[in-house]
Amino acid sequence: MAVDRPATILIIGAGPIGLETALYARYLGYDVIVCEAGDVCQQVQRWKHVRMFSPFELNCSPLGKAAIGSHDPQHSFPKDDEIITARQWMSDYLIPLAQTDLIRKHIQTNCRVISVSRTWVHKSDLDSEQRQEDAFRVLIQREEIQQVITADVVIDTSGVLTNPNPIGAGGSNACGEQQVEQQIDRVIPTIDAAEALTGKRVAVVGAGHSAATTLIALAENAVAVTWITRNASEIAGGEIPDDPLTERKRISQRLTELVLAGKIHCLPNVAIHAITTTDDSAMQIEYFQQTDSEDELEIQQAMFEHVFGFTGYRPDTSMYRELQVHQCYATEGPIKLAANLLNENASDCLEIGSGSNSLLLNPEPDFYILGMKSYGRQPGFLFHTGLQQVVQLFQILGDRESLNVYQTFQN
């Protein structure tokens, strides 16, 4: 059923997908409120020094470029095939997008969403028509003040980067991990930060591309780095044959070179049992390591002066606990999309399609999860995939399968 304009759409998060969703909604005439817990694109700021895998053309929308161009006709964009850093993405696209006339006044920063529920209907009430007629009740907090906003549609684009997975065995906390959590580095180091660790003993836990990028930066600065993985010492999913993303291919090949050259010490097939700090602020990791031997595994120890943790992220679902959202038992993402992703089982995120519009539907009417959070614990989300989700969402809300604003502005 179509959501008539000017319905109120509340968007949680002013990250890249939140901004694009807000722009699309405003262009179509919806009333929009964007609630951002921190600053605009705050999580992108954390990795602003990092080169992106995909070219600029996959990290912008035709509508976004048109809105920025209308606001500032002299604005210069990166070339379509240019590989830019997150800093350039911020300065050349995301911040100008947030400052456009269509959405600037609709973004509320330092505005944290505490919970989303209905007003009169409870989670256990099963009448979907009654649920749809009952407005969303969104509890927000600014500094110490809480208040309620009502909305017809709620879209969660808050992402997962504020909720990293523990580095302990089985995906749970290692003994003592919560006490040293603030000392586990979750950010890819800058060149200066990597140089500051030269000569020190450093552990990198994880097998994704963030771990790989960190390992390269450290090894190239003569850091005594150990790569700790729960499986083999290779990037999760392995190297992609004929990888079309040149930066991703470069990272995979360079990591292999450094491992083969002995610049990176590998510690594969490890489960971290405990992590504690010593009197001299070093970190002691206790772990089990699987071998071909049938002997009982014994706890081993290693000392490090710095630890990086890149073991993925998980969604924080607490804010919509009172809504009827069917989550995947494995990824904690919305079940329809999660099942589709698990069935595709593609090693290359470029090969993962957005699927049918129905994959975005939840049992809760007019509540949607877009962006990285829609993948739950699954890695491989691309900004370009999020743009496809935005198109699909408004085809649902407008009850028009042919609706595609991006095509209107396509060069």
Side-chain angles (χ1 to χ4, degrees):
M1 185 172 68
V3 176
D4 296 328
R5 292 163 286 186
T8 298
I9 296 178
L10 187 140
I11 299 167
I12 305 172
I17 296 302
L19 295 178
E20 294 283 2
T21 306
L23 181 66
Y24 208 104
R26 288 290 299 125
Y27 181 81
L28 292 175
Y30 291 101
D31 186 18
V32 171
I33 303 170
V34 181
C35 294
E36 165 56 48
D39 295 323
V40 170
C41 295
Q42 182 167 297
Q43 293 305 314
V44 180
Q45 286 274 15
R46 299 175 65 217
W47 50 279
K48 60 186 178 183
H49 54 287
V50 179
R51 281 167 58 88
M52 302 173 73
F53 289 153
S54 50
F56 178 67
E57 64 181 340
L58 295 183
N59 293 290
C60 64
S61 74
L63 179 59
K65 292 179 73 174
I68 294 169
S70 176
H71 184 78
D72 179 8
Q74 304 303 316
H75 186 81
S76 178
F77 294 101
K79 295 178 181 178
D80 283 350
D81 61 352
E82 189 174 349
I83 302 297
I84 61 175
T85 63
R87 178 183 284 105
Q88 291 173 283
W89 195 29
M90 291 277 292
S91 63
D92 295 350
Y93 185 72
L94 295 175
I95 296 303
L97 180 62
Q99 294 172 344
T100 56
D101 294 333
L102 273 176
I103 63 175
R104 183 179 68 248
K105 296 180 180 179
H106 297 265
I107 301 172
Q108 301 182 21
T109 57
N110 300 306
C111 176
R112 181 178 298 278
V113 172
I114 304 300
S115 65
V116 182
S117 65
R118 298 289 182 171
T119 303
W120 300 103
V121 178
H122 286 215
K123 186 184 183 84
S124 56
D125 295 328
L126 301 181
D127 189 328
S128 59
E129 186 173 337
Q130 186 181 9
R131 300 191 72 83
Q132 193 159 27
E133 292 174 353
D134 190 14
F136 285 104
R137 181 181 187 272
V138 184
L139 178 65
I140 64 169
Q141 181 166 329
R142 293 190 188 90
E143 296 181 349
E144 302 301 319
I145 300 174
Q146 293 189 350
Q147 66 183 92
V148 169
I149 300 176
T150 58
D152 302 297
V153 177
V154 173
I155 306 168
D156 186 358
T157 69
S158 60
V160 296
L161 295 182
T162 59
N163 205 33
N165 289 329
I167 66 172
S172 61
N173 284 301
C175 296
E177 182 173 350
Q178 288 180 307
Q179 285 70 42
V180 301
E181 171 60 31
Q182 297 305 312
Q183 295 169 255
I184 299 174
D185 204 335
R186 306 281 184 174
V187 180
I188 297 172
T190 63
I191 293 175
D192 289 344
E195 289 177 348
L197 293 171
T198 299
K200 295 187 176 181
R201 297 163 298 169
V202 177
V204 176
V205 185
H209 284 89
S210 293
T213 303
T214 299
L215 287 161
I216 292 168
L218 296 174
E220 290 181 340
N221 282 280
V223 176
V225 60
T226 297
W227 185 14
I228 301 177
T229 55
R230 67 185 178 94
N231 296 308
S233 297
E234 60 182 16
I235 295 178
E239 186 172 340
I240 298 169
D242 301 318
D243 194 340
L245 298 181
T246 56
E247 180 64 10
R248 183 173 62 183
K249 182 178 181 179
R250 182 194 70 80
I251 288 172
S252 181
Q253 292 178 340
R254 181 59 176 149
L255 179 64
T256 300
E257 291 172 1
L258 291 167
V259 169
L260 293 176
K263 302 293 185 181
I264 297 171
H265 173 61
C266 296
L267 203 57
N269 305 314
V270 161
I272 295 178
H273 170 67
I275 179 168
T276 55
T277 55
T278 62
D279 292 340
D280 58 356
S281 297
M283 302 180 79
Q284 177 176 282
I285 290 180
E286 297 181 4
Y287 63 94
F288 297 99
Q289 186 174 29
Q290 286 185 325
T291 64
D292 294 333
S293 172
E294 295 183 359
D295 295 339
E296 184 176 346
L297 298 180
E298 295 183 356
I299 290 180
Q300 302 182 58
Q301 297 178 347
M303 298 292 295
F304 300 99
E305 291 159 280
H306 199 95
V307 175
F308 288 90
F310 298 109
T311 47
Y313 301 88
R314 62 185 64 178
D316 179 0
T317 61
S318 60
M319 71 174 70
Y320 51 80
R321 184 174 290 133
E322 296 308 312
L323 298 181
Q324 294 178 348
V325 179
H326 188 182
Q327 295 173 196
C328 173
Y329 59 85
T331 70
E332 295 183 290
I335 186 62
K336 291 182 179 180
L337 179 57
N340 185 68
L341 291 171
L342 292 172
N343 285 335
E344 289 201 23
N345 195 31
S347 59
D348 184 1
C349 50
L350 288 175
E351 296 178 356
I352 300 175
S354 56
S356 67
N357 293 2
S358 63
L359 297 180
L360 297 181
L361 296 174
N362 283 294
E364 189 67 55
D366 298 325
F367 177 77
Y368 302 91
I369 302 171
L370 303 189
M372 290 183 71
K373 196 169 187 176
S374 69
Y375 273 38
R377 298 181 182 221
Q378 284 276 88
F381 178 81
L382 291 176
F383 177 78
H384 184 67
T385 304
L387 296 182
Q388 295 172 339
Q389 291 181 337
V390 172
V391 172
Q392 292 177 308
L393 169 64
F394 287 96
Q395 288 174 347
I396 294 170
L397 295 182
D399 199 18
R400 288 171 53 197
E401 288 191 12
S402 62
L403 177 63
N404 189 332
V405 173
Y406 292 155
Q407 288 182 349
T408 304
F409 289 91
Q410 200 79 46
N411 293 333

